Amino acid sequence: MSIAEAAPVASDAVDDYRQAQRCLLTEVLTPTLDRLHPGDSYFVGCGVGIEWNPEASDPAARHVYPDWYFVPNAPRLKDGEPRRAFEFWREVFRNMIVIECVTGDGHSERDPRPHRGKFWIYERPLRVISYLIWQPEAQRLDVYEDRHGRLTAQAMTDDGRYWTPEMDCSFGVWSGAYRGIAARWLRAWDRDGNLLPTAAERAAASRPEAPPSRVERLAARLRELGVDPDSV
């Protein structure tokens, strides 16, 4: 499907799309992350909260909830159990990469207010090294990188992608269908420019090509003889 054929995500379908987007990122990136960080030495959170301010009286102010984030060198399990939240204040891991899939105008994801806004939390206490804001309704992708303690807007490459050496891939916008939803998606490509595939795409690529049918063989033979098969 070409980019022009993919419609923007309708407002009433954004929640389903956001969940699918999280799953898509995890599905295509897991083989690469497993290769880069063997032995479960990384953590990916999909809607899992990051507890960054345990002293806050308001429970809602203790956590921030990115759509998707990657923490290198952090074990997937905590005390042998799946993490219910990532306790950043207790386990200070750096080089975190955060991705937000935005609903509405993205004001919350760009909010710089100290101790309250997501942008401030990602920039200051969490010190994320890359922050991607993907707005499917507006078809807009903004990328920020840590530059001397400040998240600074970054330009895309000529092919409209953003390279992340920590994950050995680039991010960009892809048009197609995933889980029955035809739209534009945030996806990843390897260093050679190959799209990181889903399990279904890998299976389709490994499936042997069907031999030509009798009709197709006959049409090819007619073309060799200089005869247009459509005129016969």
Side-chain angles (χ1 to χ4, degrees):
M1 180 181 290
S2 67
I3 291 179
E5 291 173 316
V9 178
S11 298
D12 57 357
V14 166
D15 286 343
D16 290 341
Y17 173 91
R18 286 180 69 190
Q19 182 59 33
Q21 177 67 84
R22 296 170 182 171
C23 294
L24 174 59
L25 288 172
T26 302
E27 181 177 351
V28 301
L29 288 168
T30 294
T32 297
L33 296 179
D34 284 347
R35 171 177 57 82
L36 294 174
H37 302 277
D40 292 342
S41 59
Y42 71 91
F43 177 72
V44 165
C46 295
V48 177
I50 301 173
E51 187 177 5
W52 68 278
N53 186 17
E55 297 179 357
S57 57
D58 181 2
R62 297 174 190 167
H63 297 80
V64 63
Y65 292 88
D67 280 301
W68 194 96
Y69 62 97
F70 161 70
V71 189
N73 303 315
R76 298 182 191 179
L77 301 180
K78 177 64 175 174
D79 300 325
E81 299 290 337
R83 294 179 182 270
R84 296 184 179 180
F86 191 86
E87 297 176 316
F88 182 82
W89 61 276
R90 189 189 302 270
E91 306 172 87
V92 180
F93 289 97
R94 296 300 181 186
N95 299 329
M96 184 183 300
I97 294 174
V98 169
I99 297 175
E100 291 281 11
C101 182
V102 172
T103 58
D105 61 5
H107 173 76
S108 173
E109 288 74 16
R110 296 181 176 87
D111 188 348
R113 291 177 297 170
H115 307 285
R116 298 180 62 183
K118 275 190 171 183
F119 196 95
W120 184 89
I121 294 170
Y122 295 150
E123 179 183 70
R124 301 299 181 88
L126 297 189
R127 296 287 300 274
V128 305
I129 58 171
S130 295
Y131 179 30
L132 286 73
I133 303 176
W134 166 230
Q135 287 182 254
E137 293 175 85
Q139 304 295 292
R140 174 181 174 183
L141 175 61
D142 293 333
V143 177
Y144 302 86
E145 277 187 6
D146 176 65
R147 290 288 185 268
H148 308 293
R150 295 293 184 270
L151 285 172
T152 306
Q154 301 297 303
M156 300 294 185
T157 59
D158 292 340
D159 56 5
R161 296 174 193 164
Y162 167 70
W163 176 253
T164 55
E166 296 79 10
M167 301 175 71
D168 197 30
C169 69
S170 60
F171 288 95
V173 180
W174 171 83
S175 180
Y178 179 70
R179 294 193 171 185
I181 304 173
R184 292 184 184 179
W185 304 86
L186 183 64
R187 287 197 63 169
W189 286 258
D190 66 19
R191 61 176 56 246
D192 296 320
N194 301 307
L195 185 68
L196 298 184
T198 63
E201 289 166 344
R202 286 194 298 271
S206 63
R207 192 176 300 128
E209 186 176 350
S213 66
R214 182 175 179 276
V215 172
E216 291 171 331
R217 293 196 301 271
L218 178 59
R221 178 57 179 161
L222 288 172
R223 293 190 186 96
E224 292 174 358
L225 297 173
V227 178
D228 182 0
D230 294 332
S231 65
V232 177

